[in-house]
Amino acid sequence: MDLEFEKPIVDLQDKLQDMKTLATDTGSGEDMAQAIKSLEDRIQTMKQDLYTNLTGWQRVLLSRHADRPQTLDYVENMCDTFVELHGDRSVRDDKAMVGGFGTIDDQTFMFIGQQKGVNTKMRQLRNFGMANPEGYRKALRLMKLAEKFNKPIVTLIDTMGAYPGLEAEERGQGEAIARNIKEMFMLKVPVICIIIGEGASGGALGIGVGDRVLMLENSWYSVISPESCSSILWRSWDHKEEAAEALNLTAENMHGNGLVDGIVREPLGGAHRNKEEMYSTVKETILSTMKELNAVSAEDRIMQRIDKFSAMGVVEE
Amino acid sequence: MAWFARKEKGIVTPTELKKETPDGLWFKTPGGAIIQKRELENNCFVCPEDGYHVRIGSKEYYEIIFDDNKFTELDENMSSGDPLSFKDTKAYPDRIKASQNKTGLKDAVRSAVGKVNGHDLVVSCMDFSFIGGSMGSVVGEKIARAIDYARENKIPFMMISKSGGARMMEAGFSLMQMAKTSAKLALLAEDKIPYISLLTDPTTGGVTASYAMLGDFNISEPGALIGFAGPRVIRETIGKDLPEGFQSSEFVLDHGFLDFIVDRRELKQRLTEIITMLK
């Protein structure tokens, strides 16, 4: 599935396909080789141009792409073994928040993340990746489990937000997120957080306090979605593109403002264009980041984690 | 109709002899009770007739809490930057300036240290009148420093929340204030210094999902709106009307997220009891 802003490239690719077909059909391959080559080059340049200069809103669209890899895709493709664990031991198992122990190169990690669902039926089951309080409590239970057995934690963040529902309020959505944020600061094991798609507000931060917080190139992370921001500040959804710019929500923006620690590059055109490459990049990133974090003592890691977040903000005195 | 005819033309009463009823001499509660403003002030801004708690700001709370209204304000002059050059229908610095002029406040929170019936207490109190009590860098930083002050001097900390949530105009920066304040509260907890969180009408969004819900004691006033998502958003999400009393402090107490609800007129006494018991 291609997005609206990718149409110029798609048109050229169609043209290229036509040329190739023509070349085969007429047997004039050699005559056309030159033209085909130059068109291929043109497409490549165009792609480079387009995908390195995407607007905030275009990246938001990519972050929501239906084929974009989700938490369980990463876990299943990066890990040699993965044991999914369920439930918060109190209310029920929140299917919008998944987690479990997994191994990469003989190292065991606790993976936790939102899962949006891959088709309509699954999306409903997973509540579109919008967790209820029991999801955040499940996440915290798994983090404490990892801490108990001294295993590092990797969270994969991909959510439009914590679910704003009636039962979510009854069961204390605010308290659940607040507790996670506070408890994550005190975890003795290394914590790596990666925003793989959407990082909306408290729903993202509820599993987003880490020694390293990284963003995939085409993910977004902010206090509110551009649509909601537009509807509140401009009183209509029509200003979502302006809102996306104003919110400075891209990986580049957030890294530039010192609010995340790094950017993970995606294959040209987005994670869904070459999933294998994406999985392997994320896997390598986790392993190399772990090496850095293991070099620091638990106490120092906690203090550095606290100091890093404490320094965020701009005030005048 | 001769008996209505003016004998003299125009208004002849000199200005200094005019008898005016000043504006705002009376207050009407949503329940319909009518009360004199001065009587309201003398009653901690609680209507004696129906117990309605009028929304008040840091100035009023400090008068209620601190002995003889004496306190030292912390980080008094901190004000907001504009890290993102944010502009919606209005530029962010203009919004700040307009709000400062209107309210006489620097931002949506004030921190102070003073005595409550003789006991030291550090208090950060939010002001809803300043851009809906929204939490930006100033709010986060002032609360963080107030907690630092409480830790350094081993004084209990109290937070009075009153906020619509995070301040959108600081986007990612405002989001991270949730993390910053929670980090400081984690350190306060390690030091075993009491933290009392008073959630007042309204407390929603990122404030609920961080420091407001992290008290050793989560307490509230009667009839306050407390929630994560706002009622309008929930109504739109589930497509149903919300039950009566949903997200009221009584509802939140009933579901187990508050320790107790306190009448504002008894607030100072209850604070004193907690602080004394933990000494």
Side-chain angles (χ1 to χ4, degrees):
Chain A
M1 200 187 78
D2 301 298
L3 299 165
E4 185 69 33
F5 68 85
E6 295 173 306
K7 197 165 179 300
I9 289 175
V10 177
D11 289 348
L12 279 188
Q13 273 169 337
D14 289 347
K15 203 172 147 195
L16 179 69
Q17 199 51 49
D18 290 347
M19 276 171 85
K20 282 182 176 166
T21 315
L22 191 70
T24 324
D25 290 355
T26 58
S28 57
E30 277 171 40
D31 301 342
M32 292 183 73
Q34 187 63 37
I36 288 174
K37 177 76 176 60
S38 87
L39 188 56
E40 278 173 344
D41 288 349
R42 211 176 125 202
I43 291 173
Q44 193 57 26
T45 319
M46 228 173 135
K47 277 186 179 172
Q48 291 282 5
D49 256 18
L50 177 72
Y51 291 118
T52 46
N53 296 305
L54 291 175
T55 66
W57 177 247
Q58 287 167 339
R59 295 206 195 268
V60 170
L61 292 176
L62 278 177
S63 78
R64 294 172 179 166
H65 197 285
D67 295 334
R68 193 171 174 87
Q70 302 185 6
T71 295
L72 287 176
D73 296 317
Y74 283 99
V75 171
E76 280 158 11
N77 285 283
M78 293 189 306
C79 295
D80 308 313
T81 45
F82 175 63
V83 180
E84 192 178 347
L85 302 169
H86 296 274
D88 69 336
R89 298 295 187 267
S90 176
V91 174
R92 64 173 173 194
D93 183 47
D94 191 332
K95 292 176 178 57
M97 184 76 80
V98 297
F101 280 121
T103 55
I104 302 178
D105 293 357
D106 292 330
Q107 281 189 70
T108 304
F109 294 86
M110 174 59 80
F111 289 95
I112 298 166
Q114 290 97 349
Q115 177 78 7
K116 287 179 165 177
V118 291
N119 54 41
T120 307
K121 201 179 159 198
M122 289 308 285
R123 274 191 275 275
Q124 278 176 342
L125 181 80
R126 303 253 178 225
N127 202 27
F128 300 86
M130 292 185 287
N132 275 280
E134 51 271 28
Y136 290 96
R137 294 185 180 124
K138 170 184 179 178
L140 185 59
R141 180 179 81 81
L142 297 184
M143 289 188 237
K144 296 279 187 183
L145 194 65
E147 187 180 40
K148 178 175 177 179
F149 296 108
N150 198 27
K151 302 298 175 203
I153 298 162
V154 176
T155 69
L156 300 171
I157 296 165
D158 189 12
T159 185
M160 295 189 283
Y163 189 60
L166 195 110
E167 292 175 340
E169 293 293 321
E170 288 180 343
R171 294 198 284 268
Q173 187 73 282
E175 193 272 348
I177 292 171
R179 179 167 304 276
N180 278 22
I181 296 172
K182 184 184 165 196
E183 297 282 334
M184 286 185 84
F185 276 107
M186 289 300 169
L187 290 169
K188 295 186 183 71
V189 292
V191 185
I192 302 171
C193 307
I194 308 175
I195 292 112
I196 56 170
E198 298 191 84
S201 198
L205 191 61
I207 56 166
V209 175
D211 300 303
R212 294 286 186 280
V213 181
L214 310 172
M215 287 177 74
L216 297 200
E217 192 181 344
N218 295 311
S219 66
W220 69 268
Y221 191 15
S222 194
V223 76
I224 192 168
S225 73
E227 287 93 337
S228 302
C229 178
S230 165
S231 88
I232 293 172
L233 292 181
W234 281 272
R235 309 211 171 273
S236 105
W237 280 42
D238 303 339
H239 295 266
K240 52 188 187 285
E241 294 172 43
E242 274 169 271
E245 289 308 312
L247 286 169
N248 282 261
L249 45 61
T250 66
E252 209 172 316
N253 295 151
M254 288 292 281
H255 188 234
N257 284 321
L259 299 173
V260 298
D261 301 302
I263 303 172
V264 181
R265 291 290 156 209
E266 292 186 24
L268 194 63
H272 60 287
R273 301 260 174 208
N274 190 343
K275 295 185 185 182
E276 289 310 317
E277 185 188 323
M278 192 72 253
Y279 302 140
S280 119
T281 309
V282 171
K283 182 170 154 179
E284 291 312 315
T285 305
I286 292 172
L287 292 175
S288 62
T289 308
M290 265 313 296
K291 269 193 198 136
E292 293 170 27
L293 296 178
N294 275 332
V296 184
S297 75
E299 294 76 53
D300 287 353
R301 255 195 324 259
I302 291 173
M303 280 325 294
Q304 286 171 11
R305 202 184 289 156
I306 290 174
D307 289 346
K308 180 181 74 182
F309 281 94
S310 296
M312 292 175 185
V314 175
V315 300
E316 284 171 12
E317 287 181 274
Chain B
M1 303 291 238
W3 57 90
F4 280 147
R6 278 183 186 276
K7 285 187 188 151
E8 295 165 64
K9 285 202 167 180
I11 296 163
V12 294
T13 317
T15 312
E16 56 269 24
L17 291 180
K18 262 199 317 192
K19 287 186 180 122
E20 273 189 88
T21 313
D23 277 343
L25 193 63
W26 297 90
F27 183 87
K28 189 176 177 190
T29 69
I34 294 170
I35 176 177
Q36 221 176 352
K37 266 278 173 69
R38 193 179 308 141
E39 202 188 328
L40 201 59
E41 280 170 30
N42 294 335
N43 202 40
C44 299
F45 293 88
V46 177
C47 174
E49 205 174 307
D50 62 2
Y52 178 75
H53 283 54
V54 179
R55 274 186 194 174
I56 53 175
S58 56
K59 180 177 168 287
E60 291 80 14
Y61 274 110
Y62 288 164
E63 271 172 32
I64 292 168
I65 290 173
F66 290 125
D67 299 347
D68 307 319
N69 196 22
K70 272 197 277 190
F71 57 87
T72 312
E73 192 163 344
L74 306 171
D75 305 299
E76 208 171 340
N77 294 317
M78 194 188 292
S79 70
S80 183
D82 182 21
L84 303 175
S85 306
F86 197 97
K87 190 169 181 294
D88 48 281
T89 51
K90 207 174 181 182
Y92 180 45
D94 295 343
R95 238 178 237 281
I96 292 280
K97 211 153 283 157
S99 227
Q100 284 175 338
N101 291 338
K102 199 183 95 193
T103 60
L105 299 160
K106 289 278 185 190
D107 211 288
V109 79
R110 280 167 74 217
S111 298
V113 57
K115 292 203 185 287
V116 180
N117 285 327
H119 305 284
D120 290 323
L121 186 67
V122 178
V123 184
S124 286
C125 181
M126 302 191 76
D127 280 291
F128 194 75
S129 58
F130 197 98
I131 320 188
S134 55
M135 169 183 52
S137 298
V138 173
V139 170
E141 185 64 22
K142 274 179 124 174
I143 293 171
R145 289 195 199 177
I147 298 168
D148 284 343
Y149 186 94
R151 289 181 62 221
E152 280 158 24
N153 297 282
K154 306 215 177 312
I155 300 173
F157 175 65
M158 179 186 192
M159 182 73 226
I160 303 175
S161 297
K162 190 183 276 292
S163 170
R167 190 173 292 167
M168 264 174 287
M169 302 78 155
E170 291 190 34
F173 285 98
S174 71
L175 179 65
M176 296 311 163
Q177 304 312 307
M178 293 169 67
K180 179 198 285 186
T181 51
S182 304
K184 295 290 183 182
L185 288 173
L187 292 173
L188 189 76
E190 292 274 297
D191 290 353
K192 305 207 187 309
I193 295 171
Y195 168 36
I196 301 162
S197 173
L198 174 67
L199 296 87
T200 72
D201 185 61
T203 299
T204 59
V207 170
T208 304
S210 59
Y211 51 84
M213 273 292 170
L214 291 174
D216 296 313
F217 308 91
N218 289 339
I219 66 179
S220 181
E221 294 179 345
L225 174 80
I226 300 168
F228 173 64
R232 191 180 52 86
V233 176
I234 301 171
R235 205 178 302 120
E236 281 169 12
T237 306
I238 64 173
K240 272 188 261 178
D241 279 339
L242 302 173
E244 185 85 21
F246 181 68
Q247 293 185 313
S248 66
S249 45
E250 291 76 11
F251 170 94
V252 180
L253 175 74
D254 201 37
H255 283 87
F257 294 96
L258 292 175
D259 288 284
F260 57 84
I261 293 172
V262 59
D263 187 302
R264 198 184 284 152
R265 291 164 292 192
E266 293 160 17
L267 175 62
K268 186 169 178 173
Q269 185 51 36
R270 296 304 287 276
L271 285 177
T272 312
E273 285 164 9
I274 291 179
I275 298 168
T276 316
M277 279 189 217
L278 296 177
K279 274 209 165 161

